[in-house]
Amino acid sequence: QVQLVESGGGLVQAGGSLRLACAASGRTFSSKAMGWFRQAPDKKREIVAAISGSGDTTHYADSVKGRFTISRDNAKNTVYLQMNSLKSEDTAVYYCASGNSYFYTDKESTYDYWGQGTQVTVSS
């Protein structure tokens, strides 16, 4: 059974940083793309960043480019999201997701396992 467990969320002031981690188990981690999504109150869930199985290619939403960095450590079965220069509009529940193939996409339907989510709150 595939499990994804996020950690690292919390409350931070605008301009601050947080690092999210997602530990995966139950499937060959390096063979699957991973993604970070977020959902703010009264908004649809949206992709934040994604990374290929080996970590050699990445994708970012325009709203976080230059501020967030996705990375993965396949030896530890963990994917990370480093979030810098946080803004109040980054406040959301952040989810990690495991893709159904090596290559990432920005479509939720191509991610077949999801974590429980971790709250990130940015105070202005």
Side-chain angles (χ1 to χ4, degrees), residues 5 20 31 65 68 70 76 81 91 94 96 110 112 116 123:
V5 180
L20 305 183
S31 69
K65 279 180 183 176
F68 291 11
I70 189 172
K76 296 183 178 179
L81 185 68
T91 295
Y94 284 70
C96 75
T110 63
D112 48 6
Q116 81 286 355
S123 63

Side-chain angles (χ1 to χ4, degrees), residues 42-57:
D42 299 323
K43 291 192 176 180
K44 292 178 62 176
R45 189 157 57 184
E46 61 178 0
I47 192 162
V48 176
I51 188 167
S52 63
S54 66
D56 58 345
T57 55

Side-chain angles (χ1 to χ4, degrees), residues 37-115:
F37 292 75
R38 67 186 180 187
Q39 187 168 21
D42 299 323
K43 291 192 176 180
K44 292 178 62 176
R45 189 157 57 184
E46 61 178 0
I47 192 162
V48 176
I51 188 167
S52 63
S54 66
D56 58 345
T57 55
T58 56
H59 165 81
Y60 296 94
D62 287 343
S63 58
V64 306
K65 279 180 183 176
R67 300 189 298 122
F68 291 11
T69 303
I70 189 172
S71 62
R72 64 191 297 162
D73 184 339
N74 286 344
K76 296 183 178 179
N77 285 2
T78 302
V79 63
Y80 303 96
L81 185 68
Q82 177 67 44
M83 304 186 294
N84 299 329
S85 302
L86 282 160
K87 305 175 181 179
S88 57
E89 52 261 46
D90 295 319
T91 295
V93 177
Y94 284 70
Y95 300 89
C96 75
S98 179
N100 58 17
S101 74
Y102 175 89
F103 298 102
Y104 62 75
T105 78
D106 60 359
K107 295 178 175 52
E108 283 192 44
S109 60
T110 63
Y111 293 82
D112 48 6
Y113 293 97
W114 294 77

